[in-house]
Amino acid sequence: MGRQLSTPTAILLGSALIAAAVYLGLRHGPAAVAPDARSAGGTAADRAGPGSSAGPAERARASGEVAPGPQRAPSVPREEVARQAARALDAHRPALVERCYRPAIAAQPAPRGVKYVFNLTFDAQGRQIARGILEDRETSRPEITACLVTALPPVAVAPPGASVRVDVPFSLP
């Protein structure tokens, strides 16, 4: 009779094999990337060849890629963007109290107040491009948080001139 592996040993060996396969598979990056349809005929910079005077930025523009450049500092201070975002959130407070807070408090009165921190990212034109919400653990009300996520439209600020991320405290009622 042959020797058999115990269940924990078999799980450990199987996990090690899977981890090794994932590691080795990810080391080489994505498998095959489909060629871009725009580059099928080549761009003027590509046809010019490697010895041409077209630089990397010109080749990137010709192929439709965005050449990485230095990040610009916002022309509006981050604190001012945070103040503008707080005012924009406050403008929605009455509607959020009616739609999200009051029904939840009517169903379950405690805890009465809820505290959040909104992580907001704005592009150079002041449009919201990302939003996260952190809720205070002691005043957590998941039903209110879920409602806020769906009920709050994207907020906007005056154009800061560059991408800006701010944290804005917010509470209800």
Side-chain angles (χ1 to χ4, degrees), residues 87-164:
R87 283 193 298 270
L89 288 172
D90 283 339
H92 294 287
R93 184 183 306 277
L96 294 173
V97 166
E98 286 299 316
R99 182 169 173 187
C100 301
Y101 180 78
R102 289 214 173 123
I105 290 299
Q108 180 183 358
R112 297 220 39 100
V114 289
K115 298 177 190 174
Y116 301 100
V117 175
F118 279 95
N119 306 113
L120 301 164
T121 304
F122 300 98
D123 65 7
Q125 289 75 36
R127 293 181 303 241
Q128 177 187 307
I129 55 175
R131 175 173 66 196
I133 184 169
L134 302 168
E135 59 184 326
D136 182 74
R137 210 175 248 182
E138 294 176 9
T139 63
S140 176
R141 299 288 302 251
E143 67 280 8
I144 296 176
T145 305
C147 181
L148 283 177
V149 169
T150 59
L152 184 64
V155 296
V157 295
S163 181
V164 178

Side-chain angles (χ1 to χ4, degrees), residues 13-60:
L13 286 173
S15 298
L17 287 173
I18 292 171
V22 168
Y23 172 75
L24 293 173
L26 292 177
R27 278 185 32 198
H28 300 292
V33 177
D36 189 7
R38 292 175 291 178
S39 64
T43 61
D46 294 333
R47 286 190 296 271
S52 73
S53 63
E58 292 165 342
R59 281 194 287 271

